[in-house]
Amino acid sequence: MTKQRKAVALISGGLDSLLAARVVMEQGVHVEGINFFTGFCVEGHTHAIRKKDRAHPKRNNALWTAERLGIKLHIVDIIDEYKDVVINPKHGYGSNLNPCLDCKIFMVHKAREWIDANGFDFIVTGEVIGQRPMSQRRDTMPVVARDSGATDRLVRPLCAKNLPPTLPEQEGWLDRDRLYDFSGRSRKPQMALARQFGFEDYAQPAGGCCFLTDKQYSVKLADLWNSRGKREYDLDDIMLLKVGRHLRPRPNFKLIVGREEGENRFMEGYRKRFVHMFPTSHTGPLVLLDGETGPADIELAARLTARFSQGRDAQQVTVEMHDREGVSQSLEVTPLPGDQIPDEWYL
Ligand code: SF4
């Protein structure tokens, strides 16, 4: 009896990885999924916090994908190790602070370590030649295979026919004729294949799942590094960049202004770490002050807090300020007029 081969599929939660895993399963391979948690994932966090995202399903798409496939999913926390990928990408960034090529190399490398440790035979990804401008180009796909150390144990079932045969194809573990030759940005072939497999509901594809591809998010991350004079972050930093309106009125501090109840509640968890304020005479946001602030900064921040409250047109608004030691102070301020808030303050 021939030995059943085992593969680990990188599961992002998007359609391509779902299909790639399914194509390999069709050929009798035992497949398990692996999902890497970088801290920059969009779903499940902001969708749970923000009202406008209520229509989005509050689910972990990777888990949901694995469930649809009926496979085991390993979720691996790579937050710390991943920092070096984001901070020092050897191959640079994409159009925002997305280090896609280094990211892909890193994830496939982690998967390679995983298969070695767990006695699996090869790695499967949902990559398609020409689909993404940085990591899925004809010239960068071999780089991922080589620099990750996965070499010919990396199979891309959706575009395998456009690439040299991999070890599983050469060894007959996979029939190359039953793999695909997709290429380019069109999603039509994937949608057709999804229909063929009976997948009608699937997560929106690649790109939208990572905050690093988001322009505004990248501006905020660059500002964070710039204000600290070094490129570093921790998980709380990158979580907070996902919520609130961020304004930097002075180089020494910025404000994070809750935009709605859900964000205010989320930000409450950070009150001990930041000087914070909120209006008490009117309904309004919780505001966190990030940086070192003097009395003039506190007054400006209180006036901005008043500006973003229901009392924006009032003569006076009472704002309560709490410092990091838990000492509070009540401030009577005039809301800052809108025309005194330059666009450059908004990150
Ligand atoms: S979009 Fe984000 S997760 Fe995806 S390859 Fe690029 S950096 Fe990595």
Side-chain angles (χ1 to χ4, degrees), residues 83-136:
K83 283 182 191 169
D84 194 47
V85 176
V86 179
I87 294 170
N88 302 305
K90 200 169 118 202
H91 298 281
Y93 297 107
S95 41
N96 296 298
L97 284 178
N98 49 312
C100 290
L101 184 49
D102 289 81
C103 172
K104 206 24 95 57
I105 291 169
F106 179 74
M107 289 186 183
V108 175
H109 172 71
K110 296 300 292 178
R112 170 74 216 216
E113 286 179 350
W114 193 94
I115 63 166
D116 287 347
N118 291 280
F120 276 50
D121 300 295
F122 63 99
I123 301 160
V124 174
T125 69
E127 292 164 288
V128 169
I129 292 180
Q131 178 112 158
R132 302 281 301 277
M134 198 175 189
S135 55
Q136 298 187 35

Side-chain angles (χ1 to χ4, degrees), residues 112-298:
R112 170 74 216 216
E113 286 179 350
W114 193 94
I115 63 166
D116 287 347
N118 291 280
F120 276 50
D121 300 295
F122 63 99
I123 301 160
V124 174
T125 69
E127 292 164 288
V128 169
I129 292 180
Q131 178 112 158
R132 302 281 301 277
M134 198 175 189
S135 55
Q136 298 187 35
R137 291 197 321 247
R138 184 170 288 280
D139 58 325
T140 56
M141 289 179 76
V143 176
V144 174
R146 184 194 66 213
D147 291 6
S148 63
T151 60
D152 60 359
R153 285 180 189 261
L154 174 59
V155 181
R156 286 100 162 199
L158 302 186
C159 63
K161 283 183 173 164
N162 297 323
L163 295 166
T166 56
L167 183 74
E169 293 158 85
Q170 287 165 4
E171 294 291 327
W173 307 338
L174 287 176
D175 177 359
R176 185 172 169 88
D177 289 342
R178 291 166 65 201
L179 302 177
Y180 293 84
D181 61 353
F182 300 167
S183 70
R185 297 184 71 88
S186 167
R187 310 287 305 160
K188 284 190 186 141
Q190 284 93 321
M191 287 174 192
L193 187 58
R195 270 195 302 279
Q196 205 178 303
F197 283 134
F199 296 129
E200 268 146 32
D201 175 23
Y202 41 80
Q204 277 317 302
C209 58
C210 169
F211 265 111
L212 292 168
T213 58
D214 183 85
K215 185 161 187 274
Q216 269 332 99
Y217 189 89
S218 297
V219 166
K220 287 185 274 187
L221 182 57
D223 168 79
L224 181 101
W225 287 342
N226 194 31
S227 70
R228 293 190 182 165
K230 50 185 171 210
R231 293 153 70 86
E232 57 165 33
Y233 64 82
D234 63 24
L235 183 60
D236 284 339
D237 291 327
I238 59 177
M239 287 292 163
L240 277 170
L241 294 183
K242 298 178 188 178
V243 296
R245 194 180 263 130
H246 291 233
L247 290 94
R248 183 172 292 285
R250 302 278 180 267
N252 54 309
F253 81 103
K254 78 166 177 181
L255 285 79
I256 307 173
V257 183
R259 288 171 294 191
E260 60 182 59
E261 216 185 316
E263 288 194 334
N264 287 341
R265 267 201 306 273
F266 177 77
M267 285 161 55
E268 272 176 24
Y270 291 89
R271 279 180 308 178
K272 288 207 173 80
R273 185 173 154 175
F274 295 95
V275 174
H276 59 277
M277 49 180 66
F278 48 86
T280 51
S281 57
H282 299 79
T283 306
L286 175 64
V287 176
L288 305 178
L289 270 58
D290 186 8
E292 291 308 318
T293 45
D297 300 326
I298 295 290

